[in-house]
Amino acid sequence: MSDSIDPDTAWAAFEARDRRADGTFVGAVRTTGIYCKPSCPARRPRRENMAFYRDPAAARAAGYRACLRCRPDETARDTAAVAAAIVLIDSTETAPSLDAVARHVGYAPHHFHRLFKQATGVTPASYARGIKADRAARALTDGATVTGAVYAAGYSAPSRFYADGAVRLGMAPRVWSRGGAGTTIRWTIVPTDLGSLLIAATARGICRIAFDEDGAALAQRFPAARILADDIALQELANEVVALVESPARHHDLPLDVRGTAFQEAVWQALRSIPSGETRSYAELAALAGHPGAVRAAGSACGANHVPLLIPCHRVTRSDGGIGGYAYGAERKRALLNREVERKGD
């Protein structure tokens, strides 16, 4: 069995016939000599007769043959095709047509449209719109005019940007392009046993949590916003966030004011579904978010998380068991994970 697969997690997905896990591993039955995808409708064997492998090739190398009922090799091919389509859409300035995407991965358009939506939760066209909105957001943050950002992102006209993309930015486009003009962001810095922590919030909720940052760094993100140091107004929020540093397993219902692309928000929601004291690999996170082929993109979405602790990206580790990346250092990530494990039974 591959060391990069948690057997308990794999068995739970296999026992539940979880379609979201298809393409992330295969289950091999020692008594029959066959391997299946997690959603295979066949009767389940005993747990002790199961082995799990990262992909069909690994199972075949171990002497197993593919199930003729669920055809796991085709699932692996489908997953690879979706991943290749995502790379294509991400890398082109102008969104390719469905015919072009399907031709690129070697599928019929109508079949691949259904396959892509089943794997990611959105159609290829919807995914492309999310990519364009993300490009526009980055261009506006970098100081481009609204019109320049619209065309740089690949929109054919400003009207398409407002119809498809503006809602994803959180702020109105002109406010974003002016560095948050008209927005008031209050901030404070509080000491924790893991270092100083910046906490910033709008009237709607917390918009930024960061170790080793200060008001100047926040002002760089929103140079035209009204940035106010306000320890008193944020005292209650700050106390709850500090408590999360000390005990990251505790429940919270703190208000948030964060927005991302549709894909990023799906990943962030998946992060919040990981139980305290447990971890998932980046591949498992991508599958939880409904995008099993987008492992690298899931990692990027973790990096774009502005409110760590509240959206617990520290619960994602590498498939080989390594601690993986973390914006605020591996030692802090390891400390948060250890605290969750220690307090899991509390």
Side-chain angles (χ1 to χ4, degrees):
M1 181 178 63
S2 171
D3 292 336
S4 63
I5 301 174
D6 174 40
D8 292 333
T9 300
W11 171 250
F14 195 81
E15 191 174 33
R17 295 182 170 84
D18 188 351
R19 291 185 178 276
R20 296 173 300 177
D22 287 351
T24 62
F25 72 90
V26 294
V29 185
R30 296 187 179 96
T31 52
T32 62
I34 65 171
Y35 62 88
C36 305
K37 62 186 181 182
S39 66
C40 181
R43 183 178 178 180
R44 289 312 186 232
R46 293 180 179 274
R47 172 67 180 85
E48 59 267 24
N49 292 330
M50 290 294 301
F52 300 103
Y53 295 89
R54 176 56 60 196
D55 52 39
R60 289 195 299 272
Y64 295 92
R65 64 185 186 278
C67 174
L68 296 178
R69 185 169 183 180
C70 68
R71 301 183 183 277
D73 292 354
E74 293 182 8
T75 298
R77 177 174 176 260
D78 291 347
T79 300
V82 171
I86 287 174
V87 170
L88 176 66
I89 296 171
D90 287 351
S91 63
T92 54
E93 292 296 326
T94 302
S97 66
L98 174 61
D99 286 348
V101 174
R103 185 167 56 251
H104 178 74
V105 298
Y107 283 73
H110 68 280
H111 175 63
F112 189 70
H113 184 276
R114 177 175 57 81
L115 180 67
F116 190 95
K117 186 173 183 179
Q118 183 180 21
T120 67
V122 297
T123 66
S126 294
Y127 182 82
R129 285 195 293 270
I131 293 297
K132 286 198 294 185
D134 190 39
R135 288 173 181 163
R138 291 198 302 268
L140 288 167
T141 300
D142 291 340
T145 65
V146 173
T147 300
V150 165
Y151 289 109
Y155 291 98
S156 59
S159 60
R160 292 311 310 159
F161 168 66
Y162 284 93
D164 296 341
V167 68
R168 307 307 314 164
L169 300 181
M171 295 182 187
R174 291 192 181 278
V175 174
W176 188 295
S177 68
R178 295 170 187 160
T183 301
T184 297
I185 301 176
R186 289 178 163 80
W187 65 274
T188 187
I189 293 178
V190 293
T192 77
D193 60 357
L194 295 183
S196 62
L197 187 67
L198 170 81
I199 301 168
T202 67
R204 295 173 58 185
I206 296 173
C207 62
R208 180 73 177 167
I209 295 175
F211 287 102
D212 303 330
E213 285 190 4
D214 56 18
L218 188 67
Q220 285 184 338
R221 292 180 179 277
F222 297 99
R226 187 181 180 216
I227 307 291
L228 299 177
D230 198 336
D231 297 346
I232 295 176
L234 296 178
Q235 183 175 356
E236 185 175 346
L237 285 178
N239 289 342
E240 294 198 48
V241 174
V242 170
L244 281 170
V245 175
E246 297 170 350
S247 181
R250 64 182 287 142
H251 172 75
H252 74 85
D253 56 0
L254 293 168
L256 301 181
D257 186 7
V258 291
R259 298 297 296 269
T261 66
F263 176 81
Q264 287 172 335
E265 291 183 6
V267 172
W268 296 343
Q269 187 60 39
L271 284 168
R272 300 184 78 177
S273 74
I274 301 174
S276 173
E278 298 183 15
T279 62
R280 299 290 184 269
S281 68
Y282 290 101
E284 290 169 331
L285 175 65
L288 279 174
H291 302 260
V295 178
R296 292 182 65 182
S300 297
C302 289
N305 173 21
H306 292 292
V307 286
L309 300 175
L310 307 187
I311 297 176
C313 51
H314 62 274
R315 294 177 187 165
V316 185
T317 56
R318 294 203 312 248
S319 296
D320 63 4
I323 194 68
Y326 192 57
Y328 308 107
E331 289 307 312
R332 283 188 175 120
K333 182 175 184 177
R334 190 173 287 108
L336 292 170
L337 289 173
N338 288 341
R339 292 174 185 189
E340 287 191 351
V341 172
E342 291 168 359
R343 294 168 173 79
K344 190 174 181 180
D346 292 351

